[in-house]
Amino acid sequence: MDKIIDLSLPEKCRILAISDIHTHWQLFDRLLKRAKYDPQNDYLVIVGDILEHGSDNIKTLEYVKALCDKSDKAILLMGNNDIMCSRMAYHYDFKRFQQQFYRNEHNTFRQMANTLGYVDCWEGNWLEIREKVVEKYGELLSFIRDLPTCLETDEYVFVHAGLEDRPDWRNTDDIYAITVPWFLRKENSTGKQLVFGHYPTYNYKRSNVTNLPIIDSEKKMICIDGGMTIKKACQMNMLIIDKCGKDYSHEIIWDTDVPKKTVLKEFSCDLKPVYIDWEKQDITIIEKKGYMTKLRDEYTGGEGNIPDREIYYFDEKPHVYQFLSSFPAVRKGERVSVFDEDETMSLVITENATVGWLPSDIIEK
């Protein structure tokens, strides 16, 4: 890796680690306030991907840069989504520039160009667009371009996606470090606690139907990505590491940025959640009953129920993104974050962070 920060910590301090903000800077700000973040004494490590997949790229970039300018203890690491806008500004040829410009409406460079009146990008003026955007947003773009890839302390290593399984892990390829998928399934060669994001924890069976950080004490791995904007029901996680001498402790705080509504009556269900790997599934529809469908995943043999609207088709085969039969128990008066609702079922995150479905008629309108 080209850019590794070697950080020596004092005897007593806190490290606030967060990843995959994906433009939700206001939720990030709320978590910092909840954590009582002190820029003079706390270390803030943002583990990549503050940009893309959301509509507020420029404001997010300005907000995070201001945090880093205010305190040398605030550090943003490079994420795979962050690097895109600087590549468009400084590196891409026309073909790659054009592809990225139209990739999606939440492209950071495109949003910058839009503020200058450039809505379309054609062969005749792409260099003009690049020049004008760099002229206006040069400070923000160079800030992103020059980000470090990894941060190392005596006991912890922070990186966006993961590190190669090799004794000289510090020589991990930069692209690997910000793009490797499913890193919890790989190995940690650092000998230290390795904190990363990139792949939402909900992707893994061990998430137990939540977006909470997964702490693997055996491998010394901590995945903190709560799936912001990537998962239909998502949250932002903050891992607070408290250092006192050689002793370390962890605390997790989290929140969502969707409306919270009150549960009107108690609900429970005997069905247990069934894990579905979103990349490796072979779904058979067993039975449709009302607004629910019973499925079997031939890949694992797991069977369970899911609302009809959660089934989508790819290559003419049914697929799902959610766990099956996730119907969390809730109590009357509980406040739940509601992500998707119709007259039958609502997708929620409960107060204990469980992701699942509740009957819509037990939730306030």
Side-chain angles (χ1 to χ4, degrees):
M1 292 175 287
D2 292 333
K3 299 176 183 177
I4 302 178
I5 294 177
D6 187 3
L7 183 62
S8 179
L9 298 175
E11 281 292 298
K12 291 187 177 182
C13 67
R14 294 194 309 169
I15 304 173
L16 279 54
I18 197 162
S19 80
D20 298 87
I21 295 167
H22 288 303
T23 80
H24 293 258
W25 69 270
Q26 291 171 308
L27 179 56
F28 177 31
D29 183 70
R30 292 208 305 271
L31 285 178
L32 287 176
K33 288 181 171 65
R34 275 183 55 191
K36 297 181 180 179
Y37 167 57
D38 176 3
Q40 299 304 313
N41 297 298
D42 292 334
Y43 291 85
L44 175 62
V45 183
I46 308 168
V47 194
D49 271 11
I50 65 169
L51 300 177
E52 307 288 318
H53 298 288
S55 60
D56 216 353
N57 285 284
I58 298 172
K59 179 62 179 179
T60 300
L61 191 45
E62 291 172 340
Y63 175 81
V64 172
K65 184 177 183 300
L67 287 173
C68 295
D69 288 343
K70 184 177 181 179
S71 171
D72 59 3
K73 294 182 174 65
I75 300 163
L76 171 63
L77 300 179
M78 181 68 78
N80 60 299
N81 282 284
D82 304 320
I83 202 173
M84 292 179 188
C85 66
S86 66
R87 283 178 171 173
M88 290 186 70
Y90 303 112
H91 303 295
Y92 281 163
D93 60 17
F94 169 70
K95 184 177 180 180
R96 291 295 305 277
F97 182 93
Q98 191 85 329
Q99 289 173 342
Q100 194 64 37
F101 193 88
Y102 287 117
R103 188 177 69 91
N104 64 64
E105 62 179 322
H106 299 314
N107 173 274
T108 306
F109 192 96
R110 182 176 179 178
Q111 288 182 1
M112 290 176 171
N114 289 164
T115 69
L116 299 175
Y118 295 105
V119 178
D120 294 313
C121 170
W122 305 107
E123 186 170 358
N125 70 342
W126 76 282
L127 288 174
E128 175 188 336
I129 293 174
R130 171 182 280 178
E131 180 181 343
K132 294 298 183 182
V133 169
V134 171
E135 181 180 339
K136 179 171 182 179
Y137 294 104
E139 277 193 45
L140 294 177
L141 290 167
S142 60
F143 170 66
I144 284 291
R145 178 192 59 194
D146 298 334
L147 291 178
T149 306
C150 181
L151 183 148
E152 181 183 4
T153 74
D154 287 345
E155 298 292 337
Y156 286 79
V157 177
F158 301 84
V159 71
H160 179 60
L163 297 169
E164 292 180 54
D165 183 15
R166 49 194 279 189
D168 59 339
W169 58 267
R170 293 176 186 83
N171 291 321
T172 293
D173 178 77
D174 282 325
I175 297 303
Y176 184 99
I178 65 173
T179 64
V180 58
W182 299 104
F183 189 66
L184 267 176
R185 297 176 178 174
K186 301 183 185 298
E187 298 300 321
N188 171 17
S189 295
T190 68
K192 301 182 179 185
Q193 295 286 348
L194 182 53
V195 180
F196 56 96
H198 185 54
Y199 250 45
T201 59
Y202 187 87
N203 286 345
Y204 299 93
K205 185 176 182 179
R206 70 176 92 177
S207 70
N208 295 319
V209 205
T210 77
N211 298 300
L212 290 170
I214 296 174
I215 300 176
D216 188 324
S217 56
E218 184 176 335
K219 290 184 177 181
K220 292 188 174 182
M221 288 183 171
I222 306 177
C223 180
I224 61 175
D225 183 2
M228 288 302 301
T229 73
I230 304 299
K231 294 300 181 182
K232 198 170 186 178
C234 56
Q235 67 195 47
M236 192 176 294
N237 298 316
M238 179 177 286
L239 174 70
I240 302 175
I241 303 168
D242 201 326
K243 179 180 185 294
C244 184
K246 295 183 178 180
D247 296 326
Y248 291 82
S249 61
H250 297 153
E251 177 189 356
I252 296 164
I253 60 175
W254 63 275
D255 203 353
T256 70
D257 67 347
V258 300
K260 292 181 174 61
K261 297 186 177 183
T262 302
V263 175
L264 302 176
K265 64 179 181 180
E266 183 178 313
F267 174 83
S268 63
C269 178
D270 291 335
L271 294 175
K272 301 300 182 184
V274 177
Y275 173 70
I276 297 290
D277 185 324
W278 67 271
E279 275 194 331
K280 298 178 180 179
Q281 53 183 253
D282 182 9
I283 300 296
T284 298
I285 295 177
I286 299 174
E287 178 186 19
K288 290 190 175 184
K289 191 173 182 180
Y291 49 81
M292 301 295 291
T293 298
K294 186 174 184 179
L295 306 175
R296 178 171 58 249
D297 180 14
E298 306 293 350
Y299 187 79
T300 63
E303 295 185 1
N305 299 287
I306 200 165
D308 291 342
R309 69 180 188 270
E310 285 300 300
I311 302 170
Y312 71 99
Y313 286 81
F314 178 73
D315 287 341
E316 300 183 349
K317 294 181 179 180
H319 290 75
V320 293
Y321 281 124
Q322 307 288 338
F323 281 55
L324 304 179
S325 297
S326 183
F327 305 110
V330 290
R331 67 184 188 283
K332 181 179 179 180
E334 182 171 345
R335 298 282 286 173
V336 296
S337 300
V338 181
F339 290 84
D340 182 32
E341 58 185 331
D342 63 13
E343 69 281 0
T344 59
M345 301 294 290
S346 296
L347 180 62
V348 307
I349 295 181
T350 67
E351 288 182 359
N352 71 357
T354 302
V355 178
W357 299 91
L358 294 177
S360 294
D361 61 6
I362 73 163
I363 302 174
E364 69 171 328
K365 301 302 181 186

